[in-house]
Amino acid sequence: QVQLQESGPGLVKPSQTLSLTCTVSGGSITTNYYYWSWIRQPPGKGLEWIGYIAYSGSTYYSPSLKSRTSISRDTSKNQFTLQLSSVTPEDTAVYYCARVEPSAWGTEFAKYDYWGQGTQVTVSS
């Protein structure tokens, strides 16, 4: 059984960098053909895809967030990390990590088969 768990600070000040880590158990992020993704849901809005890091280590980001986003991984810990720079209150959201098969990748979020429980991040001074 694959499990994903997000961790990181729940409060970030404007202009700072948001950093979240997803720890994966029950499966390796480097073997098997999956995209390991970050997705968020602002209050009162729908899910928004942020980006992914593939099993190969390659990354791809949402065009609207690309300039501020970086996703990396620590294979020794089976973790991948999101960094979102220059945050504003509009980045306040519940942030999720999730897994999807490459053939199912996209914004049809029902196709993502494993999700973390989500972590609330608030951007406020």
Side-chain angles (χ1 to χ4, degrees), residues 55-111:
Y55 56 95
S56 61
S58 62
T59 56
Y60 186 65
Y61 306 126
S62 168
S64 65
L65 297 170
K66 181 179 181 180
S67 64
R68 300 194 290 128
T69 305
S70 177
I71 299 176
S72 59
R73 66 183 184 179
D74 184 337
T75 56
S76 67
K77 297 180 180 179
N78 214 36
Q79 296 174 333
F80 60 105
T81 298
L82 168 69
Q83 291 192 308
L84 185 65
S85 63
S86 304
V87 297
T88 72
E90 285 66 42
D91 294 308
T92 294
V94 177
Y95 284 76
Y96 299 92
C97 55
R99 187 186 85 167
V100 67
E101 294 184 1
S103 61
W105 170 75
T107 55
E108 293 185 64
F109 296 112
K111 294 183 177 181

Side-chain angles (χ1 to χ4, degrees), residues 107-119:
T107 55
E108 293 185 64
F109 296 112
K111 294 183 177 181
Y112 290 67
D113 57 357
Y114 288 99
W115 293 70
Q117 65 184 21
T119 187

